[in-house]
Amino acid sequence: MLISVPATSANLGPGFDTLGLAVDLRNEIVIKPSKFLSLSTHGEGAENPKIKKNSLFLSIFNENYKRLSGKTDNFRFEFTNRIPISRGLGSSSAVIVAALSGAYTMAGVKYNKREILNQALRYEHHPDNITPAVMGGFNVACVEGDRVYSKKRRMPDYLRAVVVVPNRTISTARSRTVLPKMYKKEETVYSLSRAAYMTALFMSESWDLLRIASKDKLHQARRMKMMPELFDVQKLALKQGALMSTLSGSGSTFFNLAYEKDADKIAQSLRDRFPHFRVFVLALDNNGAIAR
């Protein structure tokens, strides 16, 4: 059994804990019945002892496999990690979604993606990454009680994500400490209006107005100050023709949306200016989590 889950970029500027989309950079896990538990890890984090243990995945998988099947069987798990870890590309959401999808599949329980998404909310309490990880595409999501309510828009083939991955992290927990406990009404209205406008632009494919809609006053600049060169990443990407340029989740990755014809030029400019950062040109993903 192969489980595949895409990377995701959340917030997209003003859509704090609400907006997100999936990009075609996938973690894959092969699961096989076994006489005893065994693991192998390749790719991102393969040399990190904590990552190699895959504790989060195993905890969620085992808990849900037992809940669904009533059994505690052993399996071999073969992890291929392509999503950079702790860089704001939804690596933990990918683990959660993969573990749940794997548990349902190996237990032989039929499920739909909405069930996986609602179960994922038990482990990650905001829906901006888990929703596109499950559903693919662009998503606007909110939480009511213990359920995620979301709407998806498929992304067109003529757009690309130019993703800039710095050589150091900004932890989500630490990045939340720089956010104020209270916001001015003007700041809230500024970002709320742009999050609503951005959703309308994605739904209507009005890409050339995203530069206005992707501005934010709630979290982005405050987090970027923890790694000031990110302001230069954003400035250069927009100068080179990016449709929008936003901090991916809590960082440190920067997400840039561009027309396919402009993507390589933008990427090369960023590589030249920031040689110690990794730069990916990626298609956008519309499939979300896949089990086969």
Side-chain angles (χ1 to χ4, degrees):
M1 178 59 58
L2 173 69
I3 309 295
S4 175
V5 183
T8 51
S9 183
N11 300 328
L12 303 177
F16 189 42
D17 282 359
T18 301
L19 302 181
L21 55 73
V23 299
D24 192 19
L25 184 67
R26 287 178 166 270
N27 282 0
E28 295 180 345
I29 303 97
V30 175
I31 308 175
K32 305 174 182 177
S34 177
K35 292 182 178 179
F36 52 87
L37 171 65
S38 65
L39 309 171
S40 67
T41 304
H42 305 280
E44 297 282 334
E47 305 305 317
N48 184 324
K50 289 180 68 175
I51 300 299
K52 287 173 69 175
K53 289 180 180 179
N54 288 286
S55 300
L56 177 62
F57 178 94
L58 290 177
S59 173
I60 295 171
F61 177 90
N62 289 333
E63 174 190 342
N64 286 277
Y65 180 78
K66 184 175 182 179
R67 174 178 65 85
L68 295 164
S69 71
K71 298 184 289 185
T72 54
D73 296 325
N74 289 318
F75 297 93
R76 173 166 175 76
F77 301 95
E78 299 171 358
F79 297 88
T80 301
N81 297 333
R82 299 186 182 92
I83 303 173
I85 295 166
S86 299
R87 292 297 197 283
L89 283 171
S91 58
S92 60
S93 291
V95 169
I96 292 166
V97 171
L100 287 165
S101 300
Y104 273 80
T105 302
M106 299 310 290
V109 176
K110 291 184 178 180
Y111 64 91
N112 59 45
K113 287 195 170 189
R114 187 64 56 180
E115 185 170 0
I116 295 295
L117 178 56
N118 288 326
Q119 289 293 328
L121 190 64
R122 295 165 52 207
Y123 305 99
E124 185 161 317
H125 303 307
H126 41 90
D128 50 346
N129 283 112
I130 55 174
T131 306
V134 174
M135 301 295 186
F138 166 82
N139 290 262
V140 55
C142 64
V143 174
E144 181 75 20
D146 58 357
R147 294 182 60 83
V148 178
Y149 293 84
S150 65
K151 197 70 175 176
K152 170 185 172 178
R153 175 73 180 192
R154 292 181 63 85
M155 296 297 291
D157 293 338
Y158 57 79
L159 294 181
R160 291 290 181 271
V162 180
V163 178
V164 182
V165 183
N167 54 357
R168 58 192 192 278
T169 67
I170 298 176
S171 77
T172 301
R174 181 166 171 247
S175 73
R176 286 186 180 264
T177 66
V178 305
L179 302 181
K181 296 185 183 299
M182 301 285 289
Y183 287 96
K184 296 178 181 178
K185 181 176 72 173
E186 292 78 9
E187 293 175 318
T188 306
V189 171
Y190 184 96
S191 289
L192 178 61
S193 63
R194 280 157 179 78
Y197 187 42
M198 175 179 282
T199 301
L201 295 180
F202 269 88
M203 294 301 180
S204 62
E205 299 192 0
S206 303
W207 313 116
D208 293 332
L209 294 169
L210 283 174
R211 189 171 295 204
I212 298 296
S214 57
K215 294 180 179 180
D216 167 73
K217 287 191 176 180
L218 293 184
H219 71 101
Q220 187 164 261
R222 292 177 170 97
R223 286 168 158 173
M224 289 166 65
K225 288 177 182 177
M226 300 170 70
M227 194 179 291
E229 56 265 53
L230 294 178
F231 289 98
D232 294 327
V233 170
Q234 184 182 51
K235 183 178 179 180
L236 179 58
L238 292 172
K239 181 180 179 181
Q240 293 297 319
L243 296 166
M244 59 181 283
S245 182
T246 56
L247 190 66
S248 187
S250 60
S252 54
T253 291
F254 233 80
F255 169 82
N256 306 285
L257 189 67
Y259 291 119
E260 182 181 15
K261 64 182 178 62
D262 298 326
D264 288 337
K265 178 190 72 171
I266 295 168
Q268 193 55 56
S269 296
L270 290 164
R271 291 187 187 105
D272 292 343
R273 179 73 176 277
F274 304 97
H276 300 301
F277 294 176
R278 289 185 287 172
V279 180
F280 301 93
V281 176
L282 302 169
L284 300 167
D285 174 81
N286 286 310
N287 297 313
I290 297 170
R292 59 177 185 267

